[in-house]
Amino acid sequence: MKKLISVFFFVVFSVSAVAGHHAKDEHNDIVDTAASKDIFSTLVTAVKAADLVNTLKGDGPFTVFAPTDEAFAALPPGTIEMLLKPENKQTLVKILTYHVVAGKVTAKDVASLSDATTVEGSKVMVSANMNKVMINDASVIKADVMTSNGVIHVIDTVLLPNDVKAAL
């Protein structure tokens, strides 16, 4: 019985912590929410280098497919450092805006799409099957991180527009 009560309190505490954390994100914009998560330090650095902070702090709403630090680390060696150089800002902006869709697109909405037009101007392919959502070759590993100006879907791969992919 003691063990059952302990498990019950653990589950209630865990659910409360997650729910509270989720609700907190809804009061922060996309940039502040990403900056508060350890897994997005590379993304936040890139957004700053591309001068997109004010844009992503704007009214929106925006949907951001946010690659984790591990996703950025999987790029060819030296790619991140190269993209963060001021002379490559235009390419960095192109890559980052390829991760953004205008409007608030929740997981429920994403699951019914076959593609979405990004702020960069190109389309990303969307597929959903067996409780797995893919954006191009990236898996959505956490969906619906709600923010005050949109929603973040965490992905495991950096999305690259075709012309950038060919150049890397």
Side-chain angles (χ1 to χ4, degrees):
M1 184 68 167
K2 244 184 190 180
K3 190 173 184 178
L4 182 62
I5 291 171
S6 296
V7 170
F8 173 76
F9 280 115
F10 174 75
V11 169
V12 168
F13 176 75
S14 298
V15 169
S16 297
V18 169
H21 185 67
H22 182 73
K24 179 182 161 209
D25 291 339
E26 290 181 12
H27 298 293
N28 291 326
D29 59 47
I30 288 169
V31 175
D32 291 340
T33 299
S36 73
K37 314 277 186 209
D38 292 339
I39 62 170
F40 295 132
S41 60
T42 306
L43 177 61
V44 171
T45 298
V47 166
K48 289 177 182 176
D51 288 329
L52 292 173
V53 171
N54 288 337
T55 301
L56 291 174
K57 282 179 147 303
D59 291 339
F62 305 106
T63 298
V64 176
F65 300 111
T68 63
D69 289 345
E70 286 181 9
F72 278 101
L75 290 171
T79 302
I80 297 166
E81 294 78 11
M82 182 263 306
L83 289 171
L84 292 176
K85 290 181 180 178
E87 61 267 25
N88 297 318
K89 180 178 171 183
Q90 189 174 357
T91 302
L92 182 60
V93 168
K94 185 176 190 74
I95 292 169
L96 293 175
T97 56
Y98 189 62
H99 289 80
V100 180
V101 173
K104 186 176 184 178
V105 184
T106 65
K108 180 181 172 187
D109 301 326
V110 168
S112 65
L113 297 175
S114 61
D115 61 44
T117 302
T118 67
V119 171
E120 179 266 341
S122 301
K123 289 187 180 205
V124 289
M125 303 312 296
V126 179
S127 62
N129 58 25
M130 299 182 60
N131 294 331
K132 185 174 187 180
V133 175
M134 302 288 292
I135 309 299
N136 290 352
D137 295 330
S139 294
V140 175
I141 55 177
K142 181 171 175 54
D144 290 345
V145 178
M146 299 298 175
T147 69
S148 63
N149 64 342
V151 59
I152 298 172
H153 301 295
V154 183
I155 57 174
D156 67 354
T157 304
V158 176
L159 304 172
L160 298 171
N162 287 331
D163 57 340
V164 172
K165 196 181 302 185
L168 297 179

